[in-house]
Amino acid sequence: MSLVSLAGAAALAVTPPGTAVEPLVVVANRTPVVAAESGRSVTVIPGQAIRDRQVLVVSDLLATTPGVGVTRNGGPGGVTAVRIRGAEAEQTLFVIDGVRLNDPSVIGGAYDAANLLVGDISRIEVLRGVQSAVWGGQAIGGVVSLETRLPSAGAFAAEGTAEAGGLGTSYLRGGVSGGGGALAWRLAADAYATDGVSAARGGTERDGYRRTGASGRLTADLAPDIRLDLRAVWSDARNAFDGFPAPAYVFADTRERGRTREALGYAGLTFPASAGRLKNRLGLALTDTRRRTFDPEQAVTDLTFRAEGRVSRLEYQGEADLTPDWRLTFGAEGERSRMRIASPSAWNPQPQPLARSTGVDSAWIQALGRPADDLTLTLAARLDRHDAFDDHGSGQAALAWRPNGGGTLVRASLGQGFRAPSLYQLYSEYGNAALKPETAVAWDLGVEQKAGEVRLSLTLFGRRTEDQVNFAVCTGGGDPNCTGGRLGYYANLDRTTALGLEATAAGRMAGFDVDASYTRTRARLEGQAGAPDQDLPRRPRDMASLDVSRTLPGDLRLGLGLRYAGESLSDLWGGPPLKSYLTLGLRVELPLEDRISVYGRVDDATDMAPETVRGYGAPGRVATFGLRARF
């Protein structure tokens, strides 16, 4: 178990039964802190909310949180981009059980959230804004942290879920846990399948999706206050998709398909020092992503692309209480990333793969303290030494002020960040070894107010990113980067800005559980040579979400979810805009006894099938029924 997990468990353990508990925010500070003491903007989706909303795909949950936009190329299994506060998808860092998921073989080094199912996930935290000071260069936009269920020592326990629905969809999930003495363990697995819809909007051929996954955790108490923590997550996904067949070469039905296998492993050791005054964690994490695409219509070989991305990471984190009011957290990290890609074709069925690697070594420090009883201050600094880009520093300051005995909470933060170009952007056939890192500065200012059982919040935010990497199309004119017939290359073309506000309301109103949010974002592209300033594509200026649920006599629970996204640009080249949409979801769950319940839902009940990427389809209305049991 990590330091943050140990501390979080300890904090909850000392709380008397029946006492209201402020939710712990782990991801924001990399050390546990109650929400009212975090100066950073973070949303927590607890396990009960995940269960209640019956959502299978993590990105569908993320799309209901303030400031988060999600686009998907078609139905389930299509490339899924998660953008926070108008930032790029490759500027969002994904973390599961403390292990970073971003794939170095993807064009921008982003994490494709297509194959990330809820599965055994017990908690999700979304941290918004530039967070490089404690999380490194991939966190310019924000951080999405997921945690799987912890092992439970003691008697054997098991639970399972089975559901089936429209479009030939089925889902099975099971988990078992137990332990005794110094050991505790948990194993879980799931399987999801759907016939899907045509990825090409208006197509007639369904593009199906199949995914299986498994996870496991083991903790061993080697001695008092010394614990070994082992974790593993694995998935294997297969999806069909559409392309641009001859002779028209327009987006239409094809028989193309892909396969993605993802695996991660982690081994950590927590131990004290200095008579228990210093808490320490040593960890080794490995991630491996392997992707293949196939086209049965291609002569000689049906394999059209293969990629392997691997990251190894060695990290140390320490934590010490300097005084009763000040805590110091610090760490050192070494990361090595490797990309290996090839594009077989009919005229070159066995090309020489392109293999490149890089590394970054980092050190960071953070001080969290209370200068006054109603004020919490967080100061953080980081130094990254990248193999290709030398040293880069980043810092962040955040404060939380609680006047009126905590009924009001004021938050503010200011942070810097940088992101190194990906291996693909540097070294692929479109690469540019002269690229510079992207840099960003961001701020936010927010206020929360408790009104009875409801908490209201309003946050203003802004970000400015320099030297953002984008694709430059070769159009002639003697550009030295366009020799040899290149179609284009990656360049530091852009300056982007984002300015907006987030409003939320959550709590109980007249017996209903309500969770509502509204986000207004103006994300702009500035300074691109030869192009006017304009909105960034696929970033609706207006997004809103409303979830309402209520438990009736007999423990029958009803729920309703609305999600709205306004009109947005489809691309930067003058294509027609993506239309606004409003989707409605309905759900119900009925316990049959203490350990068994039945449930059902209707997704997109109004059959909007929203188009989030130009030309791609969406499932539309789908009804599902399921059964849950625990033993």
Side-chain angles (χ1 to χ4, degrees):
M1 192 179 291
S2 65
L3 279 177
V4 291
S5 297
L6 284 171
L12 291 175
V14 299
T15 304
T19 303
V21 178
E22 191 81 37
L24 285 173
V25 177
V26 173
V27 65
N29 295 75
R30 294 187 70 166
T31 187
V33 57
V34 295
E37 294 186 357
S38 174
R40 298 174 172 121
S41 294
V42 62
T43 296
V44 178
I45 308 176
Q48 183 56 45
I50 295 172
R51 173 190 168 99
D52 184 49
R53 296 191 186 182
Q54 302 181 21
V55 175
L56 294 185
V57 182
V58 168
S59 60
D60 290 342
L61 269 176
L62 298 178
T64 66
T65 60
V68 179
V70 175
T71 59
R72 188 169 67 191
N73 293 14
V79 174
T80 303
V82 177
R83 301 179 177 91
I84 300 178
R85 289 182 172 174
E88 298 296 332
E90 56 262 34
Q91 296 168 342
T92 300
L93 174 64
F94 276 79
V95 178
I96 183 166
D97 288 338
V99 180
R100 304 176 189 216
L101 295 180
N102 296 49
D103 179 4
S105 69
V106 172
I107 289 177
Y111 178 70
D112 178 5
N115 302 313
L116 190 58
L117 301 188
V118 168
D120 211 41
I121 291 170
S122 63
R123 177 184 174 91
I124 302 173
E125 299 179 19
V126 182
L127 177 61
R128 299 182 292 278
V130 173
Q131 307 297 334
S132 292
V134 293
W135 285 102
Q138 293 172 316
I140 285 181
V143 181
V144 177
S145 177
L146 310 104
E147 184 161 345
T148 58
R149 300 187 189 186
L150 295 172
S152 56
F156 177 84
E159 80 280 339
T161 300
E163 64 177 55
L167 301 179
T169 301
S170 63
Y171 178 67
L172 296 172
R173 186 192 70 83
V176 292
S177 62
L183 292 176
W185 58 271
R186 180 170 179 81
L187 296 173
D190 62 354
Y192 175 68
T194 179
D195 294 338
V197 296
S198 173
R201 202 168 187 88
T204 58
E205 177 195 39
R206 288 187 175 183
D207 292 305
Y209 176 62
R210 303 288 185 274
R211 179 198 177 275
T212 55
S215 63
R217 297 187 72 164
L218 172 70
T219 62
D221 293 323
L222 306 181
D225 299 323
I226 300 178
R227 172 168 287 188
L228 176 67
D229 185 8
L230 303 177
R231 312 170 192 166
V233 178
W234 169 87
S235 69
D236 186 347
R238 306 181 188 212
N239 70 300
F241 59 93
D242 292 328
F244 297 83
Y249 297 104
V250 296
F251 192 45
D253 284 337
T254 65
R255 295 194 296 146
E256 293 176 78
R257 56 190 172 84
R259 183 176 185 181
T260 301
R261 286 176 288 181
E262 299 173 284
L264 70 84
Y266 172 85
L269 184 69
T270 57
F271 58 94
S274 300
R277 292 188 296 272
L278 177 63
K279 299 175 183 178
N280 306 275
R281 176 175 61 85
L282 283 173
L284 174 63
L286 300 171
T287 61
D288 186 87
T289 304
R290 304 190 176 203
R291 293 178 290 128
R292 302 287 188 272
T293 60
F294 305 87
D295 183 359
E297 305 301 325
Q298 179 174 271
V300 184
T301 176
D302 64 349
L303 180 64
T304 57
F305 182 72
R306 67 175 184 266
E308 290 92 33
R310 177 171 292 186
V311 179
S312 60
R313 186 179 187 86
L314 180 64
E315 57 186 18
Y316 164 78
Q317 180 173 323
E319 181 182 318
D321 292 330
L322 301 180
T323 71
D325 292 324
W326 284 92
R327 183 191 314 164
L328 191 67
T329 310
F330 49 91
E333 303 164 351
E335 180 179 285
R336 298 296 175 265
S337 302
R338 184 175 184 271
M339 172 191 77
R340 183 181 174 91
I341 59 174
S343 298
S345 62
W347 56 89
N348 188 9
Q350 294 183 330
Q352 181 66 30
L354 172 67
R356 290 291 187 272
S357 61
T358 192
V360 58
D361 298 314
S362 310
W364 60 276
I365 189 169
Q366 176 180 255
L368 173 68
R370 290 188 292 272
D373 290 342
D374 59 358
L375 184 67
T376 302
L377 178 65
T378 305
L379 301 172
R382 185 185 190 92
L383 179 64
D384 291 299
R385 174 164 292 177
H386 195 283
D387 285 354
F389 301 104
D390 298 323
D391 295 344
H392 282 268
S394 52
Q396 187 181 50
L399 64 86
W401 178 40
R402 302 169 297 279
N404 306 325
T408 302
L409 172 62
V410 179
R411 286 193 176 99
S413 71
L414 176 66
Q416 303 168 303
F418 98 100
R419 189 189 76 88
S422 70
L423 290 170
Y424 190 95
Q425 291 167 338
L426 288 168
Y427 304 119
S428 71
E429 61 181 310
Y430 305 110
N432 179 2
L435 287 173
K436 298 182 292 185
E438 302 172 348
T439 59
V441 176
W443 59 269
D444 58 33
L445 175 63
V447 60
E448 292 186 13
Q449 180 63 51
K450 188 174 182 180
E453 295 184 278
V454 178
R455 184 166 287 273
L456 309 172
S457 74
L458 181 67
T459 303
L460 303 175
F461 64 87
R463 186 194 69 257
R464 184 181 184 88
T465 305
E466 302 282 353
D467 294 320
Q468 186 155 302
V469 178
N470 206 336
F471 190 76
V473 178
C474 288
T475 57
D479 188 334
N481 287 295
C482 293
T483 58
R486 291 179 100 190
L487 299 175
Y489 60 97
Y490 290 97
N492 296 105
L493 291 178
D494 302 339
R495 176 189 305 116
T496 63
T497 61
L499 183 66
L501 65 87
E502 297 158 347
T504 68
R508 289 186 64 84
M509 299 181 183
F512 290 89
D513 296 314
V514 177
D515 188 359
S517 70
Y518 167 74
T519 304
R520 171 77 173 179
T521 307
R522 192 182 187 198
R524 299 279 288 174
L525 169 66
E526 301 177 354
Q528 188 174 35
D533 294 354
Q534 58 184 307
D535 286 353
L536 288 168
R538 304 173 191 171
R539 273 78 154 185
R541 289 198 174 187
D542 298 289
M543 298 186 297
S545 175
L546 172 65
D547 189 89
V548 180
S549 58
R550 183 166 186 171
T551 302
L552 301 179
D555 291 331
L556 175 67
R557 188 157 180 85
L558 305 177
L560 173 151
L562 291 169
R563 186 156 65 90
Y564 170 79
E567 184 179 280
S568 64
L569 291 182
S570 61
D571 54 57
L572 293 173
W573 302 282
L578 297 169
K579 296 180 181 179
S580 62
Y581 62 85
L582 175 66
T583 60
L584 167 67
L586 303 171
R587 63 183 187 271
V588 60
E589 182 168 6
L590 176 64
L592 299 181
E593 53 179 81
D594 289 343
R595 300 179 182 272
I596 299 176
S597 65
V598 294
Y599 63 90
R601 65 180 181 274
V602 179
D603 298 316
D604 194 5
T606 54
D607 207 22
M608 287 287 294
E611 184 179 25
T612 60
V613 179
R614 171 61 58 203
Y616 284 87
R621 184 190 301 118
V622 178
T624 302
F625 298 92
L627 174 72
R628 290 185 176 128
R630 58 187 178 89
F631 309 96

